Amino acid sequence: MKLSDRLQLIADEIHCGETMADIGTDHGFLPLYLLETKKCPKVIMADISSGSLAKAEENCKLAKADGDYDLRLGNGIDILEDGEVDVVAIAGMGGNLIADILEWDLAKSRSIKRYILQPRRHVGKLRHWLYCNGFNIVKESLVEEGKFICEILTVESGPAENGREAEYGAEFDYPDSLLEHANPMTAAYLHRKLELENMILDNINKNSQNASGEGVLCKARIARIESLISRLEETDA
């Protein structure tokens, strides 16, 4: 089975021999690939949508899936037992929704060793939640899919006492870790985000009744991106 670059990068972050669950599995391509390549001895395909899970089941039949796999209908990681798998993949959802899924049962969330998370939006909000709840981002990856550059976070669970207090700010939207784990997509990613934030600031100044407060936050994000671009260019020089 040939995966998209996005799903392949997620698959590459899963260690050989790990058991895994794919939350929001949709077609089930990622876990099926992990079974086919014998990278994972057991996979769980889960989705809140019965239609999506039916697609995954049909693909299992078409692929003549050989291995230990399970299809489960349900919400988030509710479908798992504590510590049932080594790693959980949650991809293609908003960052706020991913945080809600993990927060619903924190004890269960912490019982799973690792997560591979790919938020579609609000990645800064997700980073902030992870930081405040003692989860550690150990790697940040970027991959292009169509007109988008997707962020993929490799996260290790930590005990509750590792939680930290922090106000949400631009450093969560555009952290230093983007440079620490820089890849060929980093410069394009930062320049696209800079263009987007400048457009947002322009719209705030034109249309918002609260331009001052919103503008300050947007200017902070712009300054943060410009700093990262400058540091990246110094490194590449």
Side-chain angles (χ1 to χ4, degrees), residues 16-234:
C16 189
E18 285 185 318
T19 56
M20 71 85 68
D22 185 23
I23 304 302
T25 195
D26 197 26
H27 293 82
F29 293 147
L30 172 64
L32 275 171
Y33 169 86
L34 294 168
L35 271 185
E36 277 189 7
T37 57
K38 302 189 183 304
K39 194 170 191 180
C40 291
K42 173 184 177 181
V43 299
I44 296 171
M45 308 175 205
D47 210 292
I48 196 172
S49 163
S50 58
S52 292
L53 204 62
K55 288 187 289 185
E57 184 174 19
E58 180 64 21
N59 284 329
C60 289
K61 293 175 183 177
L62 290 172
K64 298 180 180 179
D66 181 22
D68 187 356
Y69 71 90
D70 197 6
L71 296 111
R72 299 183 188 179
L73 182 66
N75 189 18
I77 62 172
D78 288 353
I79 54 90
L80 298 174
E81 298 296 327
D82 286 6
E84 185 177 5
V85 294
D86 298 312
V87 60
V88 165
I90 309 177
M93 303 180 195
N96 289 332
L97 178 55
I98 293 174
D100 288 344
I101 287 171
L102 297 178
E103 191 167 30
W104 182 256
D105 187 342
L106 269 173
K108 179 177 287 186
S109 296
R110 290 193 173 98
S111 74
I112 296 161
K113 298 173 187 175
R114 295 196 313 123
Y115 291 87
I116 315 300
L117 307 177
Q118 186 262 304
R120 283 292 186 191
R121 61 189 69 84
H122 299 138
V123 62
K125 294 285 189 181
L126 178 58
R127 288 191 190 100
H128 180 252
W129 185 91
L130 292 168
Y131 181 87
C132 292
N133 286 277
F135 291 79
N136 299 307
I137 300 172
V138 296
K139 185 177 179 182
E140 298 224 13
S141 306
L142 297 172
V143 62
E144 193 166 23
E145 183 173 67
K147 63 180 181 179
F148 300 103
I149 298 178
C150 304
E151 304 101 332
I152 296 174
L153 312 180
T154 303
V155 176
E156 291 181 352
S157 298
E161 54 267 28
N162 281 4
R164 297 142 288 196
E165 292 186 8
E167 289 188 17
Y168 173 68
E171 69 276 10
F172 287 103
D173 289 308
Y174 306 107
D176 288 343
S177 50
L178 287 169
L179 300 190
E180 293 164 7
H181 302 287
N183 72 8
M185 296 305 308
T186 305
Y189 173 83
L190 291 172
H191 281 285
R192 288 187 194 183
K193 290 296 185 181
L194 181 60
E195 182 179 2
L196 175 62
E197 295 290 356
N198 277 310
M199 289 174 57
I200 291 171
L201 181 61
D202 186 52
N203 287 331
I204 288 172
N205 290 333
K206 288 178 179 177
N207 304 313
S208 177
Q209 294 179 349
N210 187 30
S212 177
E214 294 179 16
V216 167
L217 296 175
C218 191
K219 287 176 182 177
R221 294 194 297 270
I222 290 170
R224 181 74 183 164
I225 299 170
E226 289 175 338
S227 173
L228 292 175
I229 290 173
S230 177
R231 289 161 57 191
L232 183 64
E233 289 174 346
E234 289 175 4

